Amino acid sequence: VSNGVVVTTSGNYAVDFTSSAKYLVNETFNNSTAISSVFTLIKSASSSGTQIITDSTDSSTRQVSGYYGAGPSVFNIFKGIVTRSQTPHNTNLNLLSTFFDVKSDLYLNGVKIIDTLNAGTNNRQGFTLGSGIDGVVPFNGSIFEVIIFDEQNKSSDRVGIETNINTHYTIY
């Protein structure tokens, strides 16, 4: 993590991403099938503005989860086509479960908030955590946990994975 800081909140460790210079990049973590499942446990420091939590490292092959909007932001995903929820983002501890496949979905604390037949067909080239590509559009908050199933749709295991994370962190 570039200039990252590990913090503790309620006895749990997280990486602090509250400045534009903090993000993690893995250039070689590639996805050739356009399928992935990403579980992220986050606590945003601000409930407004566009922020990216996960992205790729190549602008032509992106799989993105984050928030969009100047005022109260809403949750969104992108895999070639921007798909936004109507759910405003907040500063609570939130578990985002994102499934990129032929059909892409986003769950917030166990509740589906984006159900789309087509979020696009992008594969992912590399992986960025805590901002968009090259630190653009940074996430402003803490990331407690990230679980990535590359080239696998784990939506059938979603409830079990979310239950395990919720049991440990008491999110909802």
Side-chain angles (χ1 to χ4, degrees):
V1 176
S2 174
N3 299 316
V5 176
V6 176
V7 296
T8 11
T9 304
S10 303
N12 294 303
Y13 294 100
V15 178
D16 177 15
F17 288 90
T18 54
S19 88
S20 60
K22 299 175 184 176
Y23 58 97
L24 177 89
V25 173
N26 182 323
E27 297 280 346
T28 61
F29 191 58
N30 300 327
N31 178 326
S32 60
T33 66
I35 299 171
S36 66
S37 302
V38 182
F39 297 83
T40 49
L41 182 61
I42 55 128
K43 183 170 178 46
S44 182
S46 168
S47 61
S48 64
T50 300
Q51 302 176 47
I52 294 179
I53 302 163
T54 62
D55 200 347
S56 67
T57 58
D58 181 330
S59 62
S60 65
T61 56
R62 298 179 74 184
Q63 292 181 357
V64 178
S65 66
Y67 314 122
Y68 177 82
S73 309
V74 294
F75 292 93
N76 75 296
I77 57 176
F78 174 84
K79 193 176 92 164
I81 298 170
V82 175
T83 307
R84 296 186 180 109
S85 73
Q86 297 301 308
T87 307
H89 101 267
N90 57 61
T91 57
N92 300 331
L93 188 61
N94 288 302
L95 174 58
L96 301 178
S97 305
T98 311
F99 303 97
F100 293 110
D101 203 338
V102 173
K103 176 179 159 1
S104 297
D105 300 319
L106 176 65
Y107 289 78
L108 171 65
N109 299 329
V111 177
K112 187 183 283 188
I113 61 170
I114 294 179
D115 181 3
T116 180
L117 296 176
N118 185 7
T121 57
N122 283 357
N123 298 340
R124 185 188 62 251
Q125 185 72 30
F127 187 79
T128 302
L129 179 66
S131 81
I133 297 167
D134 295 327
V136 177
V137 193
F139 173 63
N140 181 15
S142 298
I143 299 179
F144 290 79
E145 188 161 335
V146 178
I147 301 172
I148 303 164
F149 294 96
D150 200 31
E151 301 185 5
Q152 297 178 56
N153 183 333
K154 289 292 189 177
S155 57
S156 61
D157 299 321
R158 177 189 62 81
V159 171
I161 294 167
E162 289 176 341
T163 299
N164 288 340
I165 295 169
N166 186 48
T167 299
H168 179 79
Y169 292 97
T170 316
I171 308 157
Y172 50 93

